[in-house]
Amino acid sequence: MIKTEVVIVGAGPAGLGCAALLKQMGIEDTELVVLEKGEIGQTFLQWPESMRFITPSFPSNGYHQTDLNAITPDTSPAFSIGKEHLDGKEYAQYLSIVTQHYNIKVKTNTCLKRVVNLADEDGFELETESMTLRCNYLIWAGGEFHSPNLSAFRGAELCKHNSEISQWNKLGNGEYLVIGGYESGVDAAYNLANMGNQVTILDFIGNDDTNTYDPSLVLSPYTAERLANLSTRGNVELDDKFRVESVEKGDKGYTVTSSCGKVISSKFPPINCTGFDINLGPVSKLFDYQANGYPSINKFDESSKVSNLFLAGSRLYHDPTLLCFIYKFRGRFFAPCSVIGEELALDMSILRHYKKSGMILNDLDCCVEQECFC
């Protein structure tokens, strides 16, 4: 039995961002445990080799503009790696550098099997394959890459989800169907087209909402530019009226049917780019859920159902704001850490530095009211 104050599940940007903040608050090594089922930055290590960050990195910390992809105010992926648009392995390397710099102890290759809320006592009991832990505070930062969306349409399991593809150039040459546009769909189409394949993007979600600039809702400039480059080629077609109803496999390949009965075929499995499901693993039952399926949390990003259980990362949703990118959800690291810091009597002065660096987002109304005039 290992007893500690705080357990963080997940050694990605959310989990390590919270851990680094707690370390700067002065939490002792024996009071903090980070569990990771794979390696540090495992999600990014699983990215296709050609995938890049859609947000640019730049070492602008010197004039109080934190690198968009940094998880602490005083680090920068651009400075550490020397690149503007990092690939997955490079970002995982940056996360490892942060881990070493803040002396964060991560138990890698540790799969969490069970979490019990100790209702009659304080805290939680966590069971892994090799140990049992008890803690008073639990931060879930498990991410979503482990739960590809296989329920967007009938037969989704027959497709190849984009998260399963490590190298696009290992796929056969020919005609491909990409289901779902947005960022991952355009990325898939871009790589397939550059290999000389004929590509059709179905159910395309384009940058057609002129009333918002939120990249959660519209294509990022990086992706929009890639899409514009694709439009000049003759081997990419967009069909934004094709709402996929089902996929079936036959003797000659795959048949995709739209909601209005239109049919299109391909000998290769369609590429499923419809994103990921909400799956909080062994803490799923310790959260209530909103009507849209997102976990219900209070103003401290704490489960509305169980005290001292916090959510960090891309599933944070404060109606109507979805904090789905690193530079968004990093502004909420302070929420669970401030609660933990106060109750453990840690040094909270570091939060002034985080606020000055734009890494404290406590007024979510600004996300709705802010706008670009030109």
Side-chain angles (χ1 to χ4, degrees), residues 296-307:
S296 180
I297 51 178
N298 64 18
K299 64 180 181 180
F300 300 111
D301 299 346
E302 180 182 33
S303 169
S304 60
K305 186 176 182 179
V306 175
S307 298

Side-chain angles (χ1 to χ4, degrees), residues 90-302:
E90 290 164 341
Y91 194 73
Q93 181 183 350
Y94 159 72
L95 294 178
S96 293
I97 293 171
V98 171
T99 302
Q100 295 169 15
H101 178 76
Y102 291 102
N103 195 29
I104 301 168
K105 306 301 182 185
V106 180
K107 294 185 181 297
T108 57
N109 299 304
T110 302
C111 184
L112 182 61
K113 297 170 61 178
R114 189 172 65 98
V115 175
V116 177
N117 176 31
L118 302 175
D120 297 331
E121 308 174 46
D122 291 331
F124 306 89
E125 183 171 289
L126 293 79
E127 181 184 338
T128 75
E129 294 174 340
S130 59
M131 72 186 89
T132 301
L133 303 94
R134 282 200 178 185
C135 63
N136 292 318
Y137 306 92
L138 178 59
I139 300 177
W140 178 265
E144 58 185 28
F145 201 76
H146 59 287
S147 300
N149 181 6
L150 301 180
S151 59
F153 48 86
R154 290 200 315 274
E157 71 281 358
L158 300 174
C159 302
K160 191 89 170 174
H161 196 275
N162 70 299
S163 63
E164 299 176 280
I165 298 170
S166 59
Q167 293 180 320
W168 291 102
N169 59 11
K170 287 191 175 181
L171 300 183
N173 293 324
E175 298 183 1
Y176 280 89
L177 303 176
V178 174
I179 300 176
Y182 203 43
E183 305 289 351
S184 59
V186 174
D187 181 75
Y190 184 84
N191 285 287
L192 288 168
N194 280 346
M195 291 161 49
N197 297 295
Q198 186 70 34
V199 184
T200 302
I201 306 178
L202 305 175
D203 204 3
F204 177 69
I205 304 173
N207 199 358
D208 56 358
D209 187 347
T210 57
N211 296 319
T212 183
Y213 57 92
D214 186 344
S216 301
L217 305 173
V218 297
L219 292 178
S220 68
Y222 176 75
T223 303
E225 182 180 7
R226 297 173 91 190
L227 182 62
N229 291 335
L230 286 178
S231 67
T232 63
R233 308 177 62 133
N235 61 340
V236 179
E237 179 183 350
L238 306 178
D239 191 344
D240 60 354
K241 306 300 182 185
F242 197 108
R243 299 293 182 257
V244 176
E245 179 77 17
S246 65
V247 173
E248 296 178 347
K249 183 179 180 181
D251 295 336
K252 296 183 179 180
Y254 298 81
T255 301
V256 183
T257 305
S258 75
S259 55
C260 61
K262 185 178 178 180
V263 176
I264 188 170
S265 299
S266 171
K267 75 172 185 177
F268 296 113
I271 308 298
N272 180 358
C273 297
T274 58
F276 301 86
D277 285 331
I278 297 175
N279 184 353
L280 303 185
V283 298
S284 295
K285 294 182 179 180
L286 302 182
F287 283 88
D288 286 325
Y289 295 85
Q290 304 174 56
N292 57 9
Y294 285 97
S296 180
I297 51 178
N298 64 18
K299 64 180 181 180
F300 300 111
D301 299 346
E302 180 182 33

